[in-house]
Amino acid sequence: MDEDAFDVFYTASVGRLIGQLYAMTGDLAEAQDVVQEAFIRAWEHWAELDLNGAPEAWVRTVAWRLAVSRWRRMRTALAFVRRQGPPATVPPPDPHHVLLVQALRQIPEAQRRVVVLHHLCDLTVDEVATETDCPVGTVKSQLSRGRAALARLLADTELDPRATRRSEVRHG
């Protein structure tokens, strides 16, 4: 494989081919992408193309076919999306969820990870230790610190467990 000959070919023709494919597709980024992909394929077949004597025509043809293929895939995908109809209306997040996420963002990452794994993913302490590659004692410590930090952050909010107990006492 003659790398120097390919380099000369590439340098001499890449700009021209991008310009030609841009004129054909009307999309410069698409033209650049398909021409580069066609050059990759030309490199893989360089020995045969060099003997043919018309490598630029080969690259242009491959690039055009790639552009058409992409266009067809995009058209099919758009037709599929149109058949699906408008997306379902998504309700806003629950205010309690928003409060919890805001509080979780404020605690250290290691504590946040073990709290989420244990309380939201329902993993046991041993499973959390395995997944985080930490000793069980470290997981227990991070859980304890994470819960304490969350309790402080959620104090006097709707998620404060003391507020729930106080309202039960008042209403019960």
Side-chain angles (χ1 to χ4, degrees), residues 11 23 32-33 54 59 74 83 88 94 114 116-117 121 127-128 151-152 160 162 164:
T11 302
Q32 291 168 332
D33 284 349
V59 170
M74 182 62 71
R83 284 192 305 270
D94 179 80
V114 299
V116 168
L117 289 172
C121 297
E127 291 169 331
V128 173
R152 286 189 303 277
D160 185 350
R162 296 173 303 159
T164 304

Side-chain angles (χ1 to χ4, degrees), residues 114 124-126 128-130 132 134-144:
V114 299
T124 66
V125 172
D126 290 335
V128 173
T130 300
T132 60
C134 291
V136 171
T138 301
V139 170
K140 288 179 179 179
S141 173
Q142 291 171 337
L143 274 172
S144 176

Side-chain angles (χ1 to χ4, degrees), residues 46-158:
W46 184 242
E48 302 106 55
L49 294 178
D50 195 32
L51 296 174
N52 183 7
E56 191 169 323
W58 190 91
V59 170
R60 183 175 36 256
T61 300
V62 169
W64 173 248
R65 288 178 180 163
L66 288 167
V68 169
S69 179
R70 287 180 175 191
W71 178 80
R72 286 179 180 151
R73 278 195 308 273
M74 182 62 71
R75 184 182 62 186
T76 301
L78 285 173
F80 175 76
V81 168
R82 285 187 187 118
R83 284 192 305 270
Q84 300 306 308
T89 304
V90 177
D94 179 80
H96 292 147
H97 179 79
V98 173
L99 281 172
L100 180 58
V101 170
Q102 286 173 340
L104 283 167
R105 286 183 178 161
Q106 296 178 54
I107 66 174
E109 182 180 340
Q111 292 174 13
R112 178 173 57 243
R113 186 172 181 206
V114 299
V115 166
V116 168
L117 289 172
H118 184 65
H119 292 288
L120 299 179
C121 297
D122 294 324
L123 298 182
T124 66
V125 172
D126 290 335
E127 291 169 331
V128 173
T130 300
E131 186 162 328
T132 60
D133 197 27
C134 291
V136 171
T138 301
V139 170
K140 288 179 179 179
S141 173
Q142 291 171 337
L143 274 172
S144 176
R145 290 182 183 137
R147 287 182 194 126
L150 286 174
R152 286 189 303 277
L153 291 167
L154 296 171
D156 301 324
T157 69
E158 297 172 22

